[in-house]
Amino acid sequence: MGCTSTAGTAQDWKIGESDRAPLLYLESLKRTLVEKRKLKGVSFRCIVFVKQRIAAYILAKHLNSDTTCKDYGMRAGFVAAKKSRITPSIKVIPGDASRCIEQFRSGDINILVATAVIEEGFDVPEANVVISYDHLKDTVELAQRFGRARQTTSSLTLMSERRDRPLSALRDVKRQQDSIIKDFDPSKSENFARQQQSLKDRHRAAFSLLSDTVRCESSPLEVLNMYAAKTKAVAKTEYIEAGSDKIFRCKISYSNLLLTIEGKGEGNTKKQSQHQAAASILIQMRERGRKEYGL
């Protein structure tokens, strides 16, 4: 079973040919990986989601030993729950998961085979290819898969479905949920005014962070994360991509119930581009604080 969508465009899903036999199913995965590797080139970063720890372990080992995968420069690692046992004789060593994620971040490996544990407690870089090897149980998992494929050029491939919860049904439910969220008007909530005032008070209290211009210039990402924590906001890296000129470009968004601000940056390294994007947001918030709060 194959189903592919560009991230964020669920209406474009279509169900492909069924590969029921295990070996054909595995071959279907490898064909998909090769296709995406050709399309993405050196920027190829793929997360393959599986249900079981043993599947993550075996699949990563197989991909690393497969001649075709080697020929296309694919290198896999796996992530499972910390301190868990894959089999009675194979145990996940503490630090293995973090080390594997860092290798994925740096490009030493470009395929991460993982269980759902990767959604909790791990700072995982964004991928431009996300594949769900096993079926999805509900729209929560569907949303999580989309969450890992946030880049505008990302793709999401779903390779299996449950008979009682086909992808078309999950898609329809997700559309309904998205519609409810889109149409929700928080200003009609009785608590909205109180929540807004509370956030304004938080912004005033946290403004001292923005006033420290020396720290904002030397450690903008750290200051932004601290400010976000104090103002109940989310600071999220939307993308970091290297262009043909080898310059990294980054976009970071800061958002809470009160406002949304975006910052862009570029540099010779990912860190430089992130810092520039974070600094841009801090400057915008500093100006906003001075105008609205007289600070």
Side-chain angles (χ1 to χ4, degrees), residues 212-224:
D212 188 348
T213 55
V214 174
R215 189 177 184 186
C216 286
E217 291 175 2
S218 62
S219 306
L221 195 57
E222 177 186 354
V223 174
L224 177 60

Side-chain angles (χ1 to χ4, degrees), residues 109-165:
I109 62 175
N110 48 24
I111 300 174
L112 202 58
V113 187
T115 61
V117 71
I118 204 172
E119 301 292 354
E120 301 174 3
F122 290 102
D123 179 19
V124 183
E126 293 179 11
N128 51 26
V129 176
V130 175
I131 298 174
S132 189
Y133 192 69
D134 298 307
H135 62 73
L136 302 178
K137 65 180 181 180
D138 51 35
T139 55
V140 174
E141 284 195 349
L142 182 60
Q144 287 175 335
R145 300 299 179 265
F146 271 120
R148 288 297 174 191
R150 289 189 296 268
Q151 296 181 24
T152 55
T153 57
S154 295
S155 68
L156 172 64
T157 300
L158 311 176
M159 299 191 65
S160 179
E161 65 179 356
R162 284 177 52 160
R163 291 185 179 181
D164 60 335
R165 297 177 190 176

